[in-house]
Amino acid sequence: MAALPSSLRQKISFTFSKLGAARYFSHHDIMRHFERGLRRAGLEVNHTRGFNPHPRMVFPHPLPLGVASECEEIEVEFAVRYSHQELFERLQPELLPCITLTDLKELKAVKKGRVVSSCTYRIDNFPDPALLAAANRSLLEAEEIFVQRGHAQKRREVEIRRFIEGSEACGSSITVRLSHLLDGAGRVDEIGQYLAGKLAIDWHNLDFTKIAMDFNRK
């Protein structure tokens, strides 16, 4: 079925897990992987205009390197309509085993994408549950927490306590919910570094996984 390359007929949000080795894939790696997967699956994707057109797809909240996810999403615009079953059955075989489609849903066929309001993460591999509970209380009781962001001459100080909506320690893990505001957002690696500093451990030994993502309702 032929379709106009600039026509938007269907917009789908695919939810997928990004686990194991995939946590070390960069955002650009994931983007290219989906682009190739969609092409190999023979799905007719809507493209940008211009000299070098690209598939119209958006990641509402790209992950930093080293963070896994149970709930990543990618929004894809299609030039023709497909059934949800056909999309799943044609795309999943073209993806790596460490990237698994878990759900898909229909979005309004408009160009504007959704805006993330908050994300929830789980941080695993803390060595002492009792000390972790105390460190979590310190995190919640702090009025301000300052970190350095950026590189070299562009480094700046950022107050991150205002992004923490809540956190809970359970055994050797902690779950933390971080908000996304107009002037910035919380980063789970900074929370891990803060807690690791309180526990005098190397934060690089911690495992970070996104487990939920919420969107602004409009």
Side-chain angles (χ1 to χ4, degrees), residues 42-117:
L43 297 169
E44 296 190 51
V45 179
N46 201 24
H47 284 73
T48 60
R49 297 174 180 269
F51 180 76
N52 187 23
H54 295 283
R56 292 191 64 91
M57 55 187 191
V58 174
F59 292 82
H61 181 248
L63 280 178
L65 199 68
V67 180
S69 178
E70 299 173 356
C71 60
E72 284 306 274
E73 294 198 27
I74 176 175
E75 300 173 4
V76 183
E77 296 181 9
F78 292 98
V80 298
R81 292 195 63 84
Y82 297 98
S83 71
H84 290 190
Q85 181 177 354
E86 182 180 5
L87 286 171
F88 188 92
E89 291 178 349
R90 290 175 64 174
L91 181 57
Q92 180 60 71
E94 306 302 334
L95 302 177
L96 290 170
C98 54
I99 299 176
T100 305
L101 299 179
T102 58
D103 192 19
L104 58 90
K105 54 181 172 286
E106 195 99 12
L107 301 177
K108 291 182 179 180
V110 296
K111 299 293 185 182
K112 187 175 182 180
R114 295 170 299 162
V115 178
V116 175
S117 60

Side-chain angles (χ1 to χ4, degrees), residues 52-215:
N52 187 23
H54 295 283
R56 292 191 64 91
M57 55 187 191
V58 174
F59 292 82
H61 181 248
L63 280 178
L65 199 68
V67 180
S69 178
E70 299 173 356
C71 60
E72 284 306 274
E73 294 198 27
I74 176 175
E75 300 173 4
V76 183
E77 296 181 9
F78 292 98
V80 298
R81 292 195 63 84
Y82 297 98
S83 71
H84 290 190
Q85 181 177 354
E86 182 180 5
L87 286 171
F88 188 92
E89 291 178 349
R90 290 175 64 174
L91 181 57
Q92 180 60 71
E94 306 302 334
L95 302 177
L96 290 170
C98 54
I99 299 176
T100 305
L101 299 179
T102 58
D103 192 19
L104 58 90
K105 54 181 172 286
E106 195 99 12
L107 301 177
K108 291 182 179 180
V110 296
K111 299 293 185 182
K112 187 175 182 180
R114 295 170 299 162
V115 178
V116 175
S117 60
S118 66
C119 291
T120 303
Y121 300 88
R122 186 181 66 246
I123 309 177
D124 298 302
N125 207 31
F126 288 98
D128 190 318
L131 292 179
L132 175 60
N136 182 52
R137 287 194 296 272
S138 171
L139 177 71
L140 294 175
E141 292 170 358
E143 293 186 3
E144 293 180 320
I145 299 175
F146 289 94
V147 300
Q148 294 289 324
R149 288 186 182 177
H151 302 282
Q153 296 179 351
K154 294 185 178 180
R155 288 185 69 83
R156 67 191 190 282
E157 192 173 60
V158 178
E159 199 285 302
I160 64 170
R161 177 60 183 88
R162 62 198 179 97
F163 300 126
I164 303 172
E165 296 185 3
S167 64
E168 181 179 359
C170 181
S172 59
S173 303
I174 189 170
T175 301
V176 59
R177 181 184 175 96
L178 302 177
S179 62
H180 288 238
L181 307 177
L182 292 177
D183 62 340
R187 286 174 35 178
V188 67
D189 57 327
E190 293 172 344
I191 304 301
Q193 292 177 51
Y194 174 87
L195 294 170
K198 292 291 182 180
L199 299 172
I201 62 173
D202 186 351
W203 74 273
H204 292 93
N205 294 327
L206 301 175
D207 291 328
F208 302 93
T209 305
K210 186 200 292 183
I211 59 174
M213 185 161 51
D214 296 306
F215 297 87

